Amino acid sequence: MTQNDSTTQNPRTQALSDAGVAVWLDDLSRERLRSGSLARLVAEHNVVGVTTNPTIFAGALSEGDAYDAQLGDLAGTDVETAVEKITTDDVRSAADVLRPVYDATGGIDGRVSIEVDPRLAHDADATVETARRLWSTVDRPNIFIKIPATVEGLDAIERVTAEGISVNVTLIFSLERYVAVMDAYASGLEAARANGINLSPVASVASFFISRVDAAIDPLLTAVGTPEAIELQGRSAIANARLAFAAYEQFSASDRWQDLAGTGANPQRPLWASTGVKDPNYPDTLYVDQLVTRGVVNTMPEKTLDAFADHGQVSGDTVTTLYGDARTVLAELSDVGVSLSDVTDRLESEGVEKFETSWSELLETGRSGLESNR
């Protein structure tokens, strides 16, 4: 649900929204805000949320001149302070664009995510400190602080949630880690409740990564080379995500969660992340069409969103009706000698490293901008 009349929306994204999928955009830039592009996507493509990451901000800062004036104003400021000022300003502005959605949905959607410095992924104390600062600096109720689902991140997620800060848990690849994420969120809510914090404004999403799983597993299946292995290509990521939703349903039905829900707690919705296909041989809407069920978020790069708006299909629930198929796929993956747990462990490590690299690129771009706009 958004504040917009559904007759103004693209019929395909409207169908996705009607099926219970919250459509979010995986992109943000100063130019997108200034041009009105974000507002148009809200009005015309059912967009009800925004996610960002260091890669997105690095790209935004390196293109065009939208940041030149602010970089000039920040000349003489150290680069990390300048980058935090720039990114929090963008997130605050996006949150203001989406505030009507937040109000219309009772705080469920209309959210914008900003990520803690990924170099802190294995430092819980520093992550908590940074999350507090970002939450206070942006100063909007409709944001999420993104924290990676590392072992140390789990501790930070619990502690931040206990303070009433809404969290987007990112870089989730395995079912085992996802269960631990749900536990950390619940533990944080229990601590918040014990401290007298009102749970109803606190929300969370758990970002379960999709396309990177197939991108890692498909070459392993090619190396195996049997017909059985080749048949599994392009199916592992979707199967993994479907079983994540099964775990979410099981947790949601538990006495523990029902007790929290009874005192105003909001569910930690699964969010399908990394939904742009990496293999050009796959349909460009694969990770949207095949992951439709009520109560999830799908955050899409604009290219994927445009593709879905053009030719995406909603053909009923493609998650809960296919748990059996998902279990079969993962069993067959093991049978051909591919270890999903080995792959997901590696993807988590690589994911942190990639975001650290992007953060370094963001800082370097900011440094160059500060120097050239003196």
Side-chain angles (χ1 to χ4, degrees):
M1 178 178 67
T2 76
Q3 82 281 16
N4 296 298
D5 186 335
S6 63
T7 59
T8 68
Q9 301 284 3
N10 175 278
R12 297 182 187 276
T13 59
Q14 183 64 47
L16 192 60
S17 179
D18 290 344
V21 178
V23 178
W24 288 16
L25 176 70
D26 191 28
D27 189 59
L28 184 63
S29 68
R30 187 72 52 86
E31 181 59 33
R32 185 181 292 284
L33 289 162
R34 287 182 174 177
S35 69
S37 168
L38 178 58
R40 284 193 296 274
L41 290 174
V42 172
E44 299 173 3
H45 280 60
N46 295 86
V47 168
V48 293
V50 170
T51 49
T52 69
N53 60 47
T55 304
I56 286 170
F57 277 128
L61 198 58
S62 66
E63 296 175 2
D65 58 2
Y67 296 95
D68 286 358
Q70 187 172 24
L71 286 165
D73 292 340
L74 291 168
T77 305
D78 71 272
V79 66
E80 297 206 11
T81 300
V83 164
E84 185 169 303
K85 171 65 174 170
I86 288 167
T87 56
T88 54
D89 281 358
D90 278 2
V91 168
R92 186 183 305 108
S93 296
D96 289 344
V97 171
L98 285 159
R99 182 60 186 264
V101 177
Y102 174 82
D103 292 337
T105 61
I108 300 302
D109 283 307
R111 300 269 182 167
V112 184
S113 297
I114 184 168
E115 188 149 353
V116 168
D117 181 341
R119 296 173 299 180
L120 308 177
H122 300 294
D123 185 336
D125 290 343
T127 294
V128 171
E129 180 182 348
T130 304
R132 289 173 182 151
R133 187 177 69 248
L134 291 173
W135 181 260
S136 174
T137 300
V138 178
D139 193 26
R140 295 293 186 270
N142 55 322
I143 67 165
F144 281 128
I145 304 300
K146 286 181 78 174
I147 298 175
T150 58
V151 171
E152 298 83 359
L154 295 173
D155 178 39
I157 291 156
E158 179 177 341
R159 290 161 59 186
V160 167
T161 302
E163 297 182 15
I165 295 173
S166 295
V167 176
N168 175 344
V169 185
T170 189
L171 288 177
I172 306 172
F173 295 96
S174 73
L175 297 175
E176 294 76 15
R177 184 56 55 84
Y178 178 46
V179 170
V181 166
M182 290 189 285
D183 178 73
Y185 177 58
S187 295
L189 290 174
E190 288 162 347
R193 183 174 61 182
N195 291 330
I197 293 175
N198 178 13
L199 300 186
S200 59
V202 185
S204 184
V205 290
S207 295
F208 204 85
F209 278 53
I210 312 300
S211 66
R212 294 191 194 183
V213 174
D214 278 340
I217 287 179
D218 282 359
L220 301 178
L221 294 170
T222 297
V224 173
T226 64
E228 293 81 6
I230 300 304
E231 177 64 24
L232 291 169
Q233 289 184 325
R235 300 175 65 193
S236 304
I238 291 170
N240 197 38
R242 285 170 176 162
L243 294 185
F245 193 80
Y248 167 73
E249 285 193 315
Q250 183 177 3
F251 189 81
S252 298
S254 68
D255 291 342
R256 182 188 187 190
W257 179 255
Q258 290 303 311
D259 175 59
L260 282 165
T263 53
N266 292 302
Q268 183 186 52
R269 289 181 297 170
L271 179 151
W272 309 136
S274 184
T275 56
V277 297
K278 292 180 169 47
D279 187 331
N281 294 313
Y282 294 156
D284 54 5
T285 61
L286 177 67
Y287 301 125
V288 184
D289 297 340
Q290 295 303 307
L291 290 172
V292 174
T293 196
R294 189 161 298 279
V296 299
V297 178
N298 194 310
T299 188
M300 309 175 212
E302 188 170 24
K303 181 178 179 181
T304 302
L305 178 61
D306 286 345
F308 192 88
D310 180 67
H311 53 265
Q313 297 292 328
V314 175
S315 54
D317 188 316
T318 53
V319 175
T320 66
T321 60
L322 292 164
Y323 288 157
D325 180 73
R327 293 187 182 97
T328 297
V329 167
L330 296 193
E332 291 176 349
L333 196 66
S334 178
D335 289 343
V336 299
V338 174
S339 170
L340 179 59
S341 61
D342 286 352
V343 170
T344 55
D345 286 349
R346 174 166 58 86
L347 286 172
E348 179 186 305
S349 177
E350 290 177 351
V352 172
E353 290 175 2
K354 286 177 180 178
F355 278 167
E356 287 177 349
T357 299
S358 294
W359 192 265
S360 296
E361 292 171 354
L362 173 58
L363 293 178
E364 184 55 39
T365 302
R367 185 177 292 107
S368 298
L370 290 170
E371 291 173 354
S372 62
N373 285 280
R374 284 177 179 173

